[in-house]
């Protein structure tokens, strides 16, 4: 049914919106992103809510799509849902209140190591998912994975004796990433719980599973981390991608070379990695303002 709706929508864009070929291609690509996401979440376009669209918007951020591209994609989403309403597929338009990200020189939020510890310490280990959630947070922070890479991580990708994991990144590009001993310890605790589970056929190789024995979705991890931040009393607006930013920032502040960070993050272009030099510069500026003796003397006069 979605394919039929997609064809009608393309005809609507071509005939009624009079779009050029390039613009039509862009809208078509953006619609595929939405439909792929909804298919993963097992959602029908006629039943999608504003909440679903907000999670889709958050997932764009989590896979590293920049604010300008997010705005373009969400503009296409609004156009699609207006069409669904006009063509009688829906009575309402859930995208009416969908907000676009702010465009500007906004630097991504990062967590300190202490805040990551605070996040993990707030997890209730008496719940069945406690050790799983702690392992998720630690692996994201220790390895700097994208959330899409985390949900597709397989047991066969783990080389824990050698202390690294194999990651399948964007464009099916493989990279090897070191994993910390703390992350290995958290995984070991989770594996003890995982062995007690009834795992669905075909899902046996996935590292992280939901209570029904199937692999997690990006949205499930986003919701868990936002909820855990509230539990931990962390005021920052965070997502799974925040832990990736925090990983890179911690490495840079520790003196790691930018090319090394680029390889660990799986960035094709070092320009993408260079955002972390801006974060580090802002950190250094704050430290200088707070701790340089000349600044301290000015504040005290």
């Amino acid at each position: 049914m979605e394919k039929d709706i997609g064809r009608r929508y393309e005809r609507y864009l071509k005939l009624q919106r009079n779009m050029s070929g390039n613009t039509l291609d862009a809208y078509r690509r953006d619609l595929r992103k939405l439909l792929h996401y909804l298919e993963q979440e097992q959602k029908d376009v006629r039943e999608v809510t504003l909440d679903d669209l907000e999670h889709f918007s958050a997932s764009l951020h989590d896979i590293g799509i920049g604010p300008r591209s997010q705005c373009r994609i969400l503009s296409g989403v609004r156009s699609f849902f207006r069409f669904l309403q006009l063509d009688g597929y829906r009575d309402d338009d859930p995208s009416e209140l969908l907000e676009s990200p702010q465009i500007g020189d906004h630097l991504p939020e990062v967590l300190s190591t202490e805040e990551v510890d605070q996040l993990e310490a707030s997890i209730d280990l008496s719940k069945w998912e406690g050790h799983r959630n702690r392992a998720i947070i630690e692996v994201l922070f220790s390895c700097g994975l994208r959330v899409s890479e985390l949900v597709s991580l397989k047991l066969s990708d783990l080389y824990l004796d050698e202390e690294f994991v194999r990651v399948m990144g964007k464009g099916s590009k493989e990279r090897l990433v070191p994993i910390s001993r703390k992350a290995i310890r958290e995984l070991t605790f989770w594996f003890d719980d995982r062995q007690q589970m009834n795992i669905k056929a075909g899902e046996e190789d996935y590292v992280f599973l939901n209570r029904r024995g199937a692999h997690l979705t990006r949205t499930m991890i986003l919701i868990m981390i936002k909820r855990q931040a509230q539990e931990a009393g962390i005021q920052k607006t965070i997502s799974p991608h925040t832990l990736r930013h925090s990983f890179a920032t911690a490495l840079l502040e520790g003196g790691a070379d930018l090319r090394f960070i680029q390889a660990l993050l799986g960035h094709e272009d070092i320009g993408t990695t260079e955002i972390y030099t801006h974060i580090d510069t802002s950190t250094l500026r704050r430290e200088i303002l707070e701790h340089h003796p000349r600044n301290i003397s000015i504040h005290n006069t």
Side-chain angles (χ1 to χ4, degrees):
M1 187 63 175
E2 265 77 2
K3 285 183 181 177
D4 182 49
I5 293 174
R7 280 194 294 270
R8 285 173 178 270
Y9 176 56
E10 281 188 35
R11 200 177 307 129
Y12 159 79
L13 292 176
K14 205 179 293 182
L15 301 177
Q16 296 192 40
R17 298 279 301 274
N18 198 27
M19 283 189 174
S20 69
N22 286 342
T23 308
L24 190 61
D25 283 344
Y27 270 68
R28 191 184 289 123
R29 283 195 302 273
D30 295 341
L31 178 61
R32 276 202 296 268
K33 286 185 179 69
L34 174 68
L35 294 180
H36 175 68
Y37 172 83
L38 294 177
E39 184 182 354
Q40 280 191 317
E41 300 300 315
Q42 298 180 331
K43 296 278 183 179
D44 188 296
V45 293
R46 288 154 297 187
E47 297 166 0
V48 165
T49 64
L50 174 60
D51 202 39
D52 295 324
L53 295 180
E54 285 173 342
H55 286 150
F56 169 67
S57 176
S59 77
L60 298 176
H61 170 78
D62 289 339
I63 60 174
I65 294 176
R68 289 184 188 280
S69 297
Q70 287 178 47
C71 287
R72 192 204 67 237
I73 292 167
L74 296 181
S75 173
V77 167
R78 291 187 196 91
S79 168
F80 178 60
F81 280 97
R82 277 197 298 273
F83 157 76
L84 292 181
Q85 190 178 20
L86 284 170
D87 229 47
Y89 288 105
R90 296 186 60 118
D91 296 327
D92 63 333
D93 177 2
S95 71
E96 276 182 331
L97 298 176
L98 183 63
E99 293 182 4
S100 291
Q102 295 293 314
I103 295 177
D105 296 327
H106 174 69
L107 295 174
E109 200 81 80
V110 294
L111 296 176
S112 65
T113 305
E114 292 73 25
E115 285 173 318
V116 175
D117 290 342
Q118 188 181 333
L119 197 60
E120 291 178 2
S122 70
I123 293 171
D124 184 352
L125 295 180
S126 68
K127 294 183 176 177
W128 82 268
E129 72 273 21
H131 284 298
R132 182 203 67 184
N133 290 352
R134 193 179 273 194
I136 286 170
I137 290 169
E138 190 56 41
V139 169
L140 285 170
F141 180 59
S142 292
C143 301
L145 303 188
R146 298 177 177 96
V147 69
S148 56
E149 294 167 347
L150 183 95
V151 297
S152 59
L153 194 64
K154 307 279 180 44
L155 295 174
S156 52
D157 294 324
L158 305 181
Y159 298 86
L160 300 186
D161 290 341
E162 293 84 2
E163 298 183 1
F164 70 85
V165 297
R166 181 177 58 200
V167 181
M168 193 62 73
K170 284 184 177 179
S172 298
K173 290 196 172 164
E174 193 179 282
R175 68 185 191 278
L176 298 176
V177 179
I179 183 169
S180 72
R181 289 180 183 176
K182 185 174 189 318
I184 292 171
R185 188 166 67 249
E186 298 298 348
L187 280 171
T188 304
F189 289 138
W190 156 236
F191 290 154
D192 287 343
D193 295 339
R194 190 182 181 281
Q195 285 178 341
Q196 314 303 317
M197 294 182 67
N198 185 18
I199 300 172
K200 279 189 176 180
E203 305 282 297
E204 296 91 350
D205 199 25
Y206 285 99
V207 173
F208 295 110
L209 304 169
N210 62 28
R211 63 175 66 242
R212 293 183 300 279
H215 70 278
L216 294 171
T217 65
R218 292 178 296 197
T219 301
M220 288 174 186
I221 294 184
L222 173 70
I223 292 168
M224 181 274 284
I225 285 179
K226 285 189 175 294
R227 186 179 295 141
Q228 210 56 57
Q230 286 182 324
E231 291 281 331
I234 292 171
Q235 301 300 312
K236 296 174 180 176
T237 302
I238 71 166
S239 71
H241 215 64
T242 308
L243 291 159
R244 180 169 157 87
H245 289 313
S246 305
F247 161 83
T249 305
L251 285 176
L252 191 68
E253 289 176 350
D257 181 83
L258 203 60
R259 292 277 176 193
F260 171 72
I261 297 170
Q262 178 191 7
L264 289 180
L265 292 174
H267 283 161
E268 189 109 1
D269 179 3
I270 198 164
T272 312
T273 319
E274 282 173 348
I275 187 173
Y276 298 107
T277 62
H278 302 312
I279 295 171
D280 194 43
T281 302
S282 66
T283 304
L284 288 173
R285 182 177 179 278
R286 187 175 66 247
E287 292 295 312
I288 289 168
L289 287 173
E290 288 180 4
H291 301 296
H292 193 282
R294 292 290 187 231
N295 292 312
I296 292 169
S297 63
I298 289 169
H299 289 309
N300 290 339
T301 56

